[in-house]
Amino acid sequence: MANRQAIEHIHAYVDLHGREMVDFLRALIRIPSFESQIGPVGETCAARMRELGFDEVRFDSMGNVLGRVGNGSRTLLFDSHIDTVGVGDIHEWEWDPFEGKEEDGIVYGRGACDEKGSTPPMIYAIAALKELGLARGWTFYYFGNMEEWCDGIAPHALVEHEGIRPDFVVIGEPTRLNVYRGHRGRIEVSATFKGKSAHAAMPRLGDNPLYRAAPFILGVEQLLSSLPEDPFLGPGTIAVTNVRVNTPSLNAVPAEAEVYLDRRVTLGETAEQVLDQVRSLPCARTARVEIPLYEEPSYTGFVFPVEKIFPAWALPPEHPLLQAATIGYRAVYGQDPGIGKWEFSTNGIYWMGKAGIPSIGFGPGDEQHAHTVLDQVPAREVIEAARFYAALPLFLDEQTP
């Protein structure tokens, strides 16, 4: 009975503020935030959280924005990355990607789907929990972060540098308002073949590393068919995504060739296994095979070096967080959720994949629109998402007393 009344109050709050959420999203889209430059859009989020009465609003060392409500013994964090990819060829867009256009119930623009669309409902849901007196026993965080260039680095730094480790996480990447419980991971690998440069008119005087890289690349293609598969997450994959040469000119044998690999991993696969597979490919013994280190400074100058290892993860179907999400979804929307997974990767690679923090995904929009010139999100889904976000902790109280 208490939860039923609380949900009625949540519905009333969301109905009252629904239009504000959509307008807020359109304002966020108008602020470019690609290449992890999230300072201005983070300031806009911070200003709105202060207006809504958050207990604390600040930026962390990396430059991610944090808003907190409550000071309870258990912590639920809402994760939404507010950086985006670039726009690519502007002539391929049918509208200004930074206009925040709304037409026929759809909001368009870079980041509408991936992933600014989840920010307004997360912020307003936390504000609702405070205003309605439903935050007792909890600490709630909104975490607006940078993710596009290195999945999981922002939460990794939040936990290990800032000392904030939540008990539960909701990831706001697009799920079409379904509940997702995992996705495949990724390990990036570079294979560098050394050679000897020479004039292209006298190639016999050099050692062309591309002639060793070529059979290696063919071996990558053949490896694809033998990778393991998980019944829920699907198969591992591997692809050559870049080939770079170090050469003094286009009329010279190159001195070096680097082949870059994107290896999608499924449950149970380790970095050591991936490296062993790559090192067994033709000519790999003549190359330097390694996992690159990401150590680019953030826009604040903060550096947090991490290897480009992004583990697969899946929350077990019987986990209390997933059970609470299912019951809460049913109470809010009157039907069972679709339980699924993402095709791409998210900050879940750290939350669950590395740190083992129970996590689910729930957000407006369809991931097929991510990174495309059709980047969009239904306005209705933005509003509806707030109902679930606000209701979830009520049912977590029942499932994890």
Side-chain angles (χ1 to χ4, degrees), residues 11-66:
H11 284 321
Y13 182 96
V14 172
D15 291 342
L16 179 64
H17 295 281
R19 185 65 241 174
E20 289 176 35
M21 291 186 226
V22 176
D23 289 342
F24 182 31
L25 171 59
R26 296 178 67 198
L28 296 179
I29 292 170
R30 294 187 188 108
I31 305 172
S33 55
F34 44 85
E35 297 181 353
S36 296
Q37 300 298 307
I38 66 170
V41 74
E43 291 287 359
T44 300
C45 293
R48 183 60 56 95
M49 288 188 282
R50 292 188 185 103
E51 291 171 8
L52 291 171
F54 275 55
D55 297 334
E56 179 189 21
V57 179
R58 68 178 179 88
F59 285 81
D60 67 11
S61 299
M62 182 178 281
N64 307 297
V65 65
L66 279 163

Side-chain angles (χ1 to χ4, degrees), residues 12-352:
Y13 182 96
V14 172
D15 291 342
L16 179 64
H17 295 281
R19 185 65 241 174
E20 289 176 35
M21 291 186 226
V22 176
D23 289 342
F24 182 31
L25 171 59
R26 296 178 67 198
L28 296 179
I29 292 170
R30 294 187 188 108
I31 305 172
S33 55
F34 44 85
E35 297 181 353
S36 296
Q37 300 298 307
I38 66 170
V41 74
E43 291 287 359
T44 300
C45 293
R48 183 60 56 95
M49 288 188 282
R50 292 188 185 103
E51 291 171 8
L52 291 171
F54 275 55
D55 297 334
E56 179 189 21
V57 179
R58 68 178 179 88
F59 285 81
D60 67 11
S61 299
M62 182 178 281
N64 307 297
V65 65
L66 279 163
R68 178 184 60 80
V69 162
N71 195 29
S73 60
R74 293 195 297 170
T75 301
L76 173 60
L77 182 144
F78 294 91
D79 174 317
S80 179
H81 74 79
I82 51 178
D83 62 339
T84 72
V85 295
V87 299
D89 184 353
I90 193 66
H91 300 292
E92 294 184 3
W93 289 77
E94 296 180 18
W95 51 79
D96 182 346
F98 301 116
E99 176 188 349
K101 184 181 87 163
E102 183 180 4
E103 184 176 288
D104 297 329
I106 306 294
V107 178
Y108 298 89
R110 176 53 81 221
C113 171
D114 186 20
E115 174 203 351
K116 291 178 179 178
S118 61
T119 287
M122 286 180 168
I123 289 176
Y124 275 82
I126 294 173
L129 287 164
K130 179 177 182 179
E131 183 171 318
L132 299 174
L134 301 175
R136 289 184 295 273
W138 283 96
T139 299
F140 300 115
Y141 279 105
Y142 167 74
F143 184 47
N145 59 82
M146 57 192 80
E147 184 260 8
E148 288 293 359
W149 295 120
C150 187
D151 307 355
I153 191 171
H156 198 159
L158 183 73
V159 172
E160 297 199 7
H161 181 77
E162 305 289 338
I164 297 174
R165 183 184 175 92
D167 298 299
F168 307 99
V169 173
V170 178
I171 302 164
E173 297 270 15
T175 68
R176 297 170 295 151
L177 298 187
N178 292 310
V179 176
Y180 284 6
R181 65 178 185 91
H183 57 69
R184 292 181 303 167
R186 184 176 81 257
I187 296 174
E188 297 181 22
V189 181
S190 69
T192 304
F193 296 84
K194 294 288 188 179
K196 179 183 178 183
S197 186
H199 198 290
M202 297 170 283
R204 64 188 180 280
L205 299 180
D207 174 18
N208 196 327
L210 287 170
Y211 297 152
R212 282 172 280 123
F216 174 84
I217 291 171
L218 290 175
V220 171
E221 182 182 26
Q222 293 166 358
L223 178 61
L224 178 62
S225 62
S226 63
L227 296 177
E229 181 169 357
D230 178 78
F232 175 61
L233 295 186
T237 60
I238 190 169
V240 175
T241 57
N242 193 29
V243 177
R244 181 191 60 83
V245 296
N246 178 11
T247 183
S249 81
L250 294 178
N251 305 109
V253 172
E256 182 180 280
E258 180 195 50
V259 180
Y260 207 85
L261 306 176
D262 179 305
R263 173 69 163 85
R264 301 285 158 155
V265 293
T266 195
L267 282 181
E269 294 191 278
T270 67
E272 292 74 19
Q273 290 171 334
V274 168
L275 287 174
D276 286 344
Q277 289 170 343
V278 173
R279 287 172 176 150
S280 70
L281 295 174
C283 297
R285 57 183 175 78
T286 68
R288 184 178 72 251
V289 176
E290 59 188 358
I291 296 171
L293 187 70
Y294 184 90
E295 50 186 347
E296 296 297 318
S298 72
Y299 75 94
T300 65
F302 180 80
V303 177
F304 191 82
V306 293
E307 284 187 303
K308 302 190 87 172
I309 299 172
F310 312 98
W313 65 280
L315 189 71
E318 67 278 5
H319 193 279
L321 174 58
L322 191 60
Q323 295 302 308
T326 300
I327 297 169
Y329 190 102
R330 190 181 302 134
V332 169
Y333 302 121
Q335 62 186 45
D336 288 333
I339 305 296
K341 65 183 186 297
W342 286 287
E343 292 299 322
F344 56 38
S345 60
T346 74
N347 278 339
I349 67 95
Y350 176 76
W351 294 124
M352 267 287 289

Side-chain angles (χ1 to χ4, degrees), residues 356-374:
I357 298 172
S359 305
I360 57 169
F362 182 87
D366 189 325
E367 66 181 297
Q368 71 174 340
H369 296 127
H371 298 191
T372 74
V373 297
L374 297 176

